[in-house]
Amino acid sequence: MISRILCPTDLSAVANNAAKYACQLGQITNASVTLFHVRPEFATHVERSFEESPLNETRSMLEAQCKELAHSFEIRTEGEVDTGIRNFNNLIAHKGKAYDLLVVGSNGADSVIQYLFGSNAFNISIKSKIPTFIIPESFDYKPVSRMIYAYDYKMHTAPPFAQLQMFQSLFGAKVTFLTIVEKYADEIEEQMELLQSKILSRWKDPELITFDYIYHPDVVSSLNHYYQMWSDHDLMVLSARNHNFVEASFRTNVIKEISAIAAYPMLVIHS
């Protein structure tokens, strides 16, 4: 159940795009959306040449944006400003405990001016412990027709069924379980078949799920290429808890690297 959505914003074009995406999700779920602006300590985090707008002006801009979004999408919106930042990622993670979903804008690689986003979108998604959408600056909302869940065939624990099925039901989407294997071996297919049987036995509507796999040593480029082969109505879904998948098996942090290059939305879930 999603009733409250949190969307951090620095009032940039990247954040404004994420705010619109959050509001469209709010329409689907009948949830309220909170735009949360943080006043960073510019001497520490951003070059002093960047001029900070007066606080009252920022509050007015945020209030105007909330009113416009509420009118456009016919949902409940509110704006909040925090002026005493300690650690941005920890602050968002703490505030997110009172919400059901996070929506974060990303411009990919790090940017001095937009330090709240870039790789911080990844850090927020990991620390928040609630489902987090990472939205690239150029991506407009599209109805989700399929969720691509990247998983590890060697994991000993089950996928996060409850969350996957909740979002599947929310979007009315199909789900593809995708695994990427470094190289072919006979025992790999046997292990994948066992896991697929386990998933099928626990899924409410097995006809809505499919399985696919790729043999390639580079998981990040493979995932990125796989998405680009299909529709931009797809949603890439990754689980932050699959450390065997993102660190041990492939020796890389898939969520971080994908969020830095993806021109499509990602959903990071926890279990």
Side-chain angles (χ1 to χ4, degrees):
M1 183 69 179
I2 296 173
S3 60
R4 301 188 71 198
I5 299 173
L6 179 65
C7 182
T9 179
D10 63 352
L11 301 175
S12 66
V14 177
N16 292 342
N17 185 58
K20 290 180 181 178
Y21 199 102
C23 288
Q24 283 161 312
L25 290 175
Q27 279 186 319
I28 296 173
T29 59
N30 195 30
S32 63
V33 174
T34 298
L35 301 186
F36 184 52
H37 179 76
V38 177
R39 303 294 286 188
E41 295 177 355
F42 290 93
T44 301
H45 299 286
V46 180
E47 291 180 342
R48 289 181 179 274
S49 59
F50 180 74
E51 295 184 1
E52 180 184 10
S53 60
L55 182 58
N56 288 339
E57 180 183 339
T58 298
R59 292 187 188 277
S60 297
M61 292 170 62
L62 191 61
E63 181 180 354
Q65 184 180 24
C66 286
K67 288 182 178 179
E68 180 182 350
L69 291 171
H71 176 74
S72 298
F73 296 100
E74 298 182 336
I75 62 169
R76 302 178 305 281
T77 64
E78 62 177 350
E80 293 185 24
V81 176
D82 188 297
T83 58
I85 184 171
R86 280 74 59 192
N87 178 291
F88 177 74
N89 299 326
N90 291 339
L91 177 62
I92 297 300
H94 177 74
K95 188 169 183 63
K97 293 178 181 179
Y99 291 81
D100 307 302
L101 186 67
L102 261 170
V103 180
V104 185
S106 174
N107 58 0
D110 281 332
S111 166
V112 174
I113 300 301
Q114 295 177 324
Y115 90 100
L116 297 183
F117 299 95
S119 65
N120 278 328
F122 156 73
N123 291 324
I124 291 169
S125 71
I126 297 300
K127 291 187 176 183
S128 67
K129 305 303 181 185
I130 64 172
T132 303
F133 278 85
I134 300 177
I135 309 302
E137 59 180 320
S138 59
F139 195 92
D140 295 327
Y141 177 86
K142 296 176 178 62
V144 176
S145 59
R146 182 177 65 146
M147 296 159 52
I148 303 170
Y149 178 69
Y151 76 106
D152 179 12
Y153 74 95
K154 293 177 290 190
M155 66 184 179
H156 299 292
T157 55
F161 287 107
Q163 292 194 64
L164 286 172
Q165 292 189 104
M166 180 189 73
F167 282 104
Q168 179 191 45
S169 176
L170 178 66
F171 293 123
K174 297 181 178 180
V175 178
T176 293
F177 286 83
L178 174 67
T179 188
I180 299 175
V181 183
E182 291 177 311
K183 58 182 179 180
Y184 176 82
D186 290 336
E187 63 270 18
I188 289 178
E189 290 201 359
E190 295 177 3
Q191 293 178 41
M192 286 195 293
E193 287 176 3
L194 288 172
L195 181 57
Q196 290 174 14
S197 297
K198 183 178 181 179
I199 293 171
L200 286 168
S201 67
R202 294 189 56 182
W203 206 262
K204 293 179 181 178
D205 191 349
E207 293 185 357
L208 293 178
I209 63 174
T210 57
F211 299 90
D212 206 351
Y213 55 89
I214 301 171
Y215 292 110
H216 197 281
D218 187 336
V219 62
V220 173
S221 64
S222 296
L223 281 177
N224 194 47
H225 179 68
Y226 186 88
Y227 184 97
Q228 293 173 339
M229 288 172 56
W230 302 96
S231 167
D232 59 3
H233 288 260
D234 289 344
L235 174 66
M236 183 69 72
V237 184
L238 297 171
S239 175
R241 67 98 192 256
N242 290 341
H243 297 298
N244 286 337
F245 174 52
V246 300
E247 293 177 0
S249 297
F250 298 97
R251 305 299 178 186
T252 186
N253 197 317
V254 174
I255 298 174
K256 183 176 182 179
E257 294 194 25
I258 286 289
S259 65
I261 64 173
Y264 44 84
M266 290 174 51
L267 172 60
V268 179
I269 57 179
H270 298 261
S271 58

